[in-house]
Structure formats: structure tokens, C-alpha cells
């Protein structure tokens, strides 16, 4: 060790003097210095062990003694015994074994005793050193398998730079597994060079450093170079005893993720994760998503995704082309983007990756936050919602809405229903004007304005909605809204109708106002609900799409009668009966 026993005892005495008097502790030095590593900046980590059965605090006391940082932790014998029992239980499933638990047990077993040697020996005997080597090696092996399989998938999907990074991580984990099997169980990877020197196998050490320094770097890493590097890492890991990492991408399958559902409204695909997060997919992302055949090998999934991406790119280009012919370059780009989109679906936890016979691939790095799906920053360009679906950033968008799923569903249902009310109010206005019912027409026009404003606020995700009397004032919640919308609303709400001429003026201005609001709120294609049987059927179909999502999420329905539309599968109840 870089410090002598005399230096350590002196540091211990001074540290204990700074703490309240306690029991007659057994004391060990843990950490890098105890393991034979360390440097002048390394912490001094003392663990105090007591025989009483009290629950001693996990958090260390931090002291500064003679220019060094000293951390003092305390544990009872009972607590240490429970740690070792939990470690044995967790070792049966290394993928779920807590890194913190393994680290605590390893540090104790690798510690250097300073006081109470008999008690220290008694505690260390609870888990033989050979068993710790097996557990640590199995834990690192599992991580290496996961990282290298993940790298294999990313390589298949064309994500070269990320594949190289995960191959490099898997390489470290494979070597740590090999070293742990030879007694080098200390978890912190930064001391790997000293561990490999001490392991006494120059061939393994030199081969590792050669591969580590050869990793392709940068976002524009050559695909062939990445593929070759990954192949070398897989081969070396297999030589070190890491099984199940041969180049067999057909064993990788894309599977359904738990609590992920797909909802399509018109052409827009929405994916809801965990009944909480809503992702809206752009045209090409939606086409790739719909192409996924879950439970099939990754290469087959990628082939289908590329076809869908290319077809969508070609169709989009054909629609924009005067000649009506798709551009081959756009199709090629759509096919190339497909792998990136599938990788994003995996990254966001919308689907999961599995290795046939070995369960889900969940790569994780040591001493880091637990692995889990990435959550991107929300996309919030206003308006967020339209009657056809959520707004997206572009054809490849996989955009998280800045709304919880339940509020997303409630707002979209309110958006659709408000437009139904607008259509009903406009029809009532026409009838009142024909009969000369000026007061009825006046109130009906105001009802249409209020309904249009409710739809406008709903399209921006405002839910619950303010009362009708506050709607105009609450337009201040939408800072990007043109001032003309508020000005026209205030004008219409203040208009009176006492003659046919005034009524016609209100009807014309109301039509312009509704068109302006709908264009702003993405409802310009809303059907004229009450014109005919066909437009009413189109309205029911549109409402049914959103009601299904709202019912699934338990959102409040805009009116109780809407439940009948769910029961009837989107047709009029008596027709369904």
C-alpha cells in the first residue's frame, strides 16, 4: 500500500477523535488504497464494524485530516450479514444484481484490517473470497454480453459511432470479468491497467490495450471500420470466456415493450409509453413503425423498415414533384434513415431488443445511473394538437409531447367536441336568421365563438379549459397567437343582432373567424358535421378515434353520451344495435 500501517493508524486516531465517543469498533481500510492502488489524491475510507444489532447510518461522515479526505462509514455485524445474504440471492440473476450491493461487499472483503482483527475475520468468513470472484465475474460477464449484443444491433442498424462506443464498453466489461475470475474483483474500472499488470498475463493485457486504442471515433466513423472493430472485440471477448456474443444478428429480435400502445388518428401515429408519455411520429417514422413485425429477427425487421422508409420518401417526393415521379435519392435516404428510426424506437423504450434464449438486451455501464429508456426533451411548437393528431417536427420525428397522456387525450377530445359545437351553433344561427329570431341568433353566434376558442385553447394543450366568460382573457396563455384572433373574438362577442342586415354581417364575420381559428388550431379539415349523413359519419369516425384513446387512458369525456359511441364501435348506437 502507498501508506504504512503506522500512517493509517495515526489518521484513524485523529479521525475518531473528531467524532463522538462510540463502542469498541473493529476497523478496516477499504477502497483503492487497501487494494494496493491509489495515489496522493485518493480518499482514506475507514469502515467501523460494531457487534450491536442497531441499524447504523449508510451515509459516511466526511473529514479532512492532515491534508487528506477521510470517509468514515459504520456497519453492524447484522447489517453486513444481511448484505452478503442479499448478494447471494441477487447473484442468481446477475442482470438485476445491484451494483451498489456488490461494491459494498467487495470493498469489505478486499479491505485491510486495522483493529479488531478477530471480528473482521469473522465477518469476512461470511462469504469466501472464491465465491466473490465467481459472483463478480458473472456480473461483469452479463454486462459484457449485453453491451456487445447491443453493439451488434446498432451496427446492423447503421448506427456506427454508437456501435463502436458500446463495443468498447463491452470490451472493458469482458476484461473485467476475466480479471475478476483471477481475484481482481475491485469494481472501479479506472484501475484496470494496474489490475491487468498484476494479473500476470501480458498477452491479455497487450491485446486489450491494442483493441482499446483502435476503437473508431467520431460521428462519421467508417461503417466498415466499425464492423471490423466490433468483430475483433467479439472474438476477443469469446476468448476471455464471455459466451453468447458470436456474430449472429439473426438471434436478435425486436419485441413488444410492456405498456406501450399505438393509436392512429388519420395519418398520424401516436405511441403511448407507460400510459403517461405520448410520442407523435412523422410520416416516415410512422411508416417505419407500422412496418415492424414484432417477434422477428432484427435483420428481417430492418429489411421491412427500409422498404417502408423508401416507399414513404418516394411517395412524399412524388407528391411534391410536378412530374409525379419519385426521386431515387429521396428513396435511398428514406431506406438509410430506417435503421436510425428503429434504433430510436429501441432507445426510447417503444420496443425492446432480445437475444433468442437469453431475454431482453439491457446494456448498462458500471458506476452509472440504472439503464432505462431515454426520454427526449418535449417538442412544443404551437399548436401542439390538431383534430388529425399531434404536431411533429418533420417526417422522421419521434416527438415527445409536453403533456401527460391523460391530458393529451382530454385536450384532443375537447378539440373535436368544440368543433362539433361550432358546426351545431352555425346551423342554429342560420335557422334563427331565417325565422327572424334576432336574440336567438345573437346568443347562438356567441356560443359558436366560445366553442371555437375552446378548440383553439385545446389545440395548445390547455386542459381543463377556463369558463366561457374567461376564454378571451385566457388567450394570453398563447403568446404566439396573432392579435387578430383576440380582436375578432371580442368584436363578435360584443355584436348585437336586431335586423337581417346585422345578422348577415355576423354570419359572414363568424365564418371568417371560424376559418381563422381552425387554420390556427389545425382543424381546417373538420367536416361540416350536420350537412349530410356522410359528413356526420365522418364526424363520428373522427370523434371515435380520440374517444378510444381517452377511454383507454381514463380521461374525462367531453359528454357522457360519448360512451355510447365507444360501445357502438364508432357508429350511431341504434344502427349498431
Amino acid at each position: 500500500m502507498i501508506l504504512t500501517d503506522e500512517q493509517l493508524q495515526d489518521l484513524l486516531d485523529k479521525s475518531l477523535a473528531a467524532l463522538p465517543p462510540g463502542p469498541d469498533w473493529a476497523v478496516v481500510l477499504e477502497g483503492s488504497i487497501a487494494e494496493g492502488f491509489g495515489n496522493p489524491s485518493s480518499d482514506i475510507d475507514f469502515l467501523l464494524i460494531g457487534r450491536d444489532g442497531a441499524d447504523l447510518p449508510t451515509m459516511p461522515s466526511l473529514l479532512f485530516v492532515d491534508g487528506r479526505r477521510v470517509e468514515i462509514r459504520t456497519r453492524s455485524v447484522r447489517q453486513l450479514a444481511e448484505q452478503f445474504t442479499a448478494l447471494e440471492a441477487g447473484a442468481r440473476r446477475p442482470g438485476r444484481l445491484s451494483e451498489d450491493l456488490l461494491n459494498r461487499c467487495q470493498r469489505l472483503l478486499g479491505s485491510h484490517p486495522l483493529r479488531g482483527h478477530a471480528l473482521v475475520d469473522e465477518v469476512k468468513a461470511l462469504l469466501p473470497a472464491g465465491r466473490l470472484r465467481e459472483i463478480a465475474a458473472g456480473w461483469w460477464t452479463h454486462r459484457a454480453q449485453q453491451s456487445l449484443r447491443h453493439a451488434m444491433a446498432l451496427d446492423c442498424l447503421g448506427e456506427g459511432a454508437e456501435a463502436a462506443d458500446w463495443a468498447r464498453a463491452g470490451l472493458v466489461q469482458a476484461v473485467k470479468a476475466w480479471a475478476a475470475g483471477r481475484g481482481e474483483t475491485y469494481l472501479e474500472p479506472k484501475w484496470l491497467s494496474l489490475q491487468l499488470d498484476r494479473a500476470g498475463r501480458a498477452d491479455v493485457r497487450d491485446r486489450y490495450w491494442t483493441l482499446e486504442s483502435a476503437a473508431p471515433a467520431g460521428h462519421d466513423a467508417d461503417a466498415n471500420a466499425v464492423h471490423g472493430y466490433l468483430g475483433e472485440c467479439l472474438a476477443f471477448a469469446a476468448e476471455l470466456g464471455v459466451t453468447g456474443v458470436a456474430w449472429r444478428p439473426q438471434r436478435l429480435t425486436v419485441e413488444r415493450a410492456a405498456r406501450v400502445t399505438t393509436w392512429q388518428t388519420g395519418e398520424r401515429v401516436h405511441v403511448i409509453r407507460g400510459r403517461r408519455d405520448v410520442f407523435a411520429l412523422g410520416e416516415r417514422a410512422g411508416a417505419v413503425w407500422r412496418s415492424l413485425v414484432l417477434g422477428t429477427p432484427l435483420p428481417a425487421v430492418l429489411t421491412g423498415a427500409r422498404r417502408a422508409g423508401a416507399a414513404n420518401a418516394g411517395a412524399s417526393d412524388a407528391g411534391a414533384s410536378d412530374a409525379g415521379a419519385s426521386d431515387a435519392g429521396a428513396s435511398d435516404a428514406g431506406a438509410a434513415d430506417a435503421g436510425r428510426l428503429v434504433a430510436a424506437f429501441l432507445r426510447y423504450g417503444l420496443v425492446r431488443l432480445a437475444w433468442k434464449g437469453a431475454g431482453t438486451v439491457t446494456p448498462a455501464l458500471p458506476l452509472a445511473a440504472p439503464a432505462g429508456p431515454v426520454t427526449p426533451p418535449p417538442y412544443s411548437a404551437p399548436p401542439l394538437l390538431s383534430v388529425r393528431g399531434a404536431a411533429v417536427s418533420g417526417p422522421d420525428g419521434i416527438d415527445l409531447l409536453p403533456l401527460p397522456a391523460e391530458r393529451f387525450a382530454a385536450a384532443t377530445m375537447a378539440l373535436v367536441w368544440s368543433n362539433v359545437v361550432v358546426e351545431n351553433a352555425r346551423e342554429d344561427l342560420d335557422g334563427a336568421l331565417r325565422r327572424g329570431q334576432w336574440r336567438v341568433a345573437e346568443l347562438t353566434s356567441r356560443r359558436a365563438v366560445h366553442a371555437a376558442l375552446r378548440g383553439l385553447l385545446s389545440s395548445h394543450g390547455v386542459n381543463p379549459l377556463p369558463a366561457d366568460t374567461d376564454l378571451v382573457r385566457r388567450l394570453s396563455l398563447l403568446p404566439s397567437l396573432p392579435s387578430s384572433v383576440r380582436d375578432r373574438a371580442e368584436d363578435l362577442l360584443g355584436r348585437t343582432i336586431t335586423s337581417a342586415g346585422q345578422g348577415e354581417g355576423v354570419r359572414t364575420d363568424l365564418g371568417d373567424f371560424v376559418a381563422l381559428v381552425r387554420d390556427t388550431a389545425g382543424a381546417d379539415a373538420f367536416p361540416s358535421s350536420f350537412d349530410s349523413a356522410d359528413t356526420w359519419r365522418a364526424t363520428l369516425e373522427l370523434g371515435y378515434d380520440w374517444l378510444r384513446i381517452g377511454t383507454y387512458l381514463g380521461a374525462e369525456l367531453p359528454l357522457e353520451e360519448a360512451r355510447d359511441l365507444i360501445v357502438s364501435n364508432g357508429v350511431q348506437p341504434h344502427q349498431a344495435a
Side-chain angles (χ1 to χ4, degrees):
M1 294 189 296
I2 62 173
L3 296 175
T4 65
D5 265 11
E6 289 76 13
Q7 291 172 312
L8 292 169
Q9 293 288 354
D10 182 59
L11 286 169
L12 177 59
D13 287 338
K14 293 176 179 176
S15 299
L16 292 177
L19 298 177
D24 188 16
W25 302 102
V27 182
V28 298
L29 174 72
E30 295 184 325
S32 59
I33 294 178
E35 298 278 350
F37 310 132
N39 55 50
S41 297
S42 297
D43 296 345
I44 307 297
D45 298 310
F46 293 130
L47 175 66
L48 280 54
I49 304 172
R51 279 200 175 277
D52 61 47
D55 280 336
L56 300 176
T58 299
M59 183 177 176
S61 293
L62 190 63
L63 307 174
F64 295 88
V65 181
D66 292 349
R68 284 189 173 274
R69 190 172 73 186
V70 177
E71 290 190 9
I72 295 183
R73 289 178 171 80
T74 54
R75 273 288 182 270
S76 68
V77 173
R78 180 186 56 78
Q79 286 176 305
L80 295 174
E82 289 174 351
Q83 283 183 187
F84 287 130
T85 299
L87 181 66
E88 280 284 13
R92 291 192 286 270
R93 302 186 71 179
R96 297 189 178 183
L97 177 58
S98 162
E99 179 179 343
D100 180 66
L101 176 63
L102 176 58
N103 187 50
R104 289 179 186 277
C105 293
Q106 190 284 326
R107 287 168 65 90
L108 173 58
L109 293 179
S111 66
H112 176 72
L114 294 173
R115 296 184 184 176
H117 290 58
L119 181 55
V120 172
D121 290 343
E122 177 185 326
V123 170
K124 286 189 176 186
L126 295 172
L127 187 74
R131 179 57 183 148
L132 176 67
R133 288 196 293 270
E134 292 174 359
I135 294 173
W139 185 81
W140 281 112
T141 296
H142 177 80
R143 292 205 161 197
Q145 289 170 331
Q146 300 290 74
S147 294
L148 293 170
R149 290 167 181 168
H150 188 58
M152 197 184 306
L154 292 167
D155 184 58
C156 288
L157 295 171
E159 296 287 274
E162 194 173 349
D165 288 342
W166 278 105
R168 195 174 187 179
L171 181 66
V172 172
Q173 292 160 344
V175 173
K176 287 286 285 184
W178 174 85
R182 283 152 183 79
E184 294 292 343
T185 56
Y186 194 57
L187 262 62
E188 173 58 64
K190 72 181 179 183
W191 303 110
L192 179 58
S193 60
L194 300 183
Q195 288 180 304
L196 292 179
D197 288 343
R198 210 157 60 180
R201 284 284 300 274
D203 57 330
V204 172
R205 179 197 63 196
D206 295 346
R207 176 64 175 149
Y208 165 73
W209 289 116
T210 299
L211 279 175
E212 203 280 337
S213 60
H219 293 294
D220 56 350
D222 180 75
N224 291 328
V226 170
H227 185 73
Y229 176 71
L230 174 58
E232 290 189 75
C233 290
L234 295 173
F236 184 47
E239 292 173 16
L240 296 178
V242 178
T243 59
V245 293
W247 177 256
R248 293 178 182 170
Q250 66 275 12
R251 295 197 65 177
L252 289 163
T253 59
V254 177
E255 305 286 346
R256 184 179 303 279
R259 302 182 72 209
V260 171
T261 58
T262 303
W263 302 87
Q264 186 162 341
T265 55
E267 295 301 313
R268 176 72 69 241
V269 175
H270 305 89
V271 182
I272 299 179
R273 185 181 70 181
R275 301 175 71 95
R276 180 182 60 189
D277 301 320
V278 181
F279 292 83
L281 308 189
E283 291 82 357
R284 184 157 51 232
V288 170
W289 177 263
R290 288 192 298 265
S291 77
L292 301 182
V293 181
L294 302 181
T296 57
L298 179 62
V301 168
L302 183 58
T303 298
R306 282 174 172 161
R307 288 182 185 140
N312 179 270
S316 299
D317 188 75
S321 170
D322 292 336
S326 64
D327 178 67
S331 297
D332 291 344
D337 287 341
R340 178 179 56 80
L341 290 169
V342 174
F345 296 151
L346 289 166
R347 196 174 297 123
Y348 294 165
L350 306 182
V351 291
R352 63 184 177 89
L353 192 68
W355 183 265
K356 190 174 181 180
T360 302
V361 176
T362 53
L365 296 176
L367 305 176
V374 172
T375 298
Y379 175 71
S380 56
L384 292 171
L385 310 172
S386 76
V387 295
R388 296 297 179 187
V392 293
S393 57
D396 292 339
I398 308 172
D399 300 319
L400 176 67
L401 269 64
L403 294 172
E406 183 180 344
R407 188 140 53 94
F408 156 74
T412 47
M413 287 191 295
L415 172 59
V416 171
W417 178 243
S418 69
N419 279 279
V420 173
V421 175
V422 167
E423 291 301 307
N424 180 253
R426 292 172 73 182
E427 183 187 42
D428 288 347
L429 174 62
D430 288 342
L433 292 177
R434 284 197 298 268
R435 295 287 294 177
Q437 298 168 338
W438 312 130
R439 295 296 186 189
V440 174
E442 186 178 302
L443 294 176
T444 301
S445 68
R446 293 174 187 170
R447 177 171 176 251
V449 172
H450 285 144
L453 293 180
R454 287 198 296 272
L456 179 60
L457 288 164
S458 296
S459 73
H460 288 73
V462 177
N463 189 272
L465 287 163
D468 284 357
T469 54
D470 287 338
L471 285 169
V472 172
R473 281 185 289 275
R474 296 292 83 80
L475 291 179
S476 61
L477 295 171
L478 315 179
S480 62
L481 188 70
S483 59
S484 58
V485 174
R486 176 169 182 155
D487 293 343
R488 292 193 187 190
E490 289 179 333
D491 174 62
L492 283 166
L493 290 172
R495 298 270 281 273
T496 59
I497 299 176
T498 60
S499 67
Q502 288 179 329
E504 287 302 318
V506 168
R507 176 161 55 184
T508 299
D509 291 346
L510 178 64
D512 292 342
F513 174 73
V514 169
L516 173 64
V517 168
R518 283 182 170 173
D519 182 64
T520 304
D524 51 304
F526 197 83
S528 298
S529 305
F530 304 102
D531 279 0
S532 67
D534 288 340
T535 57
W536 179 240
R537 183 168 55 251
T539 302
L540 290 179
E541 290 172 354
L542 186 61
Y544 178 62
D545 284 342
W546 291 114
L547 286 170
R548 286 192 310 126
I549 302 177
T551 303
Y552 167 72
L553 294 169
E556 184 177 354
L557 301 184
L559 73 168
E560 192 59 29
E561 292 173 2
R563 294 190 186 279
D564 293 336
L565 191 59
I566 294 294
V567 174
S568 65
N569 293 321
V571 300
Q572 298 192 77
H574 299 98
Q575 289 179 338

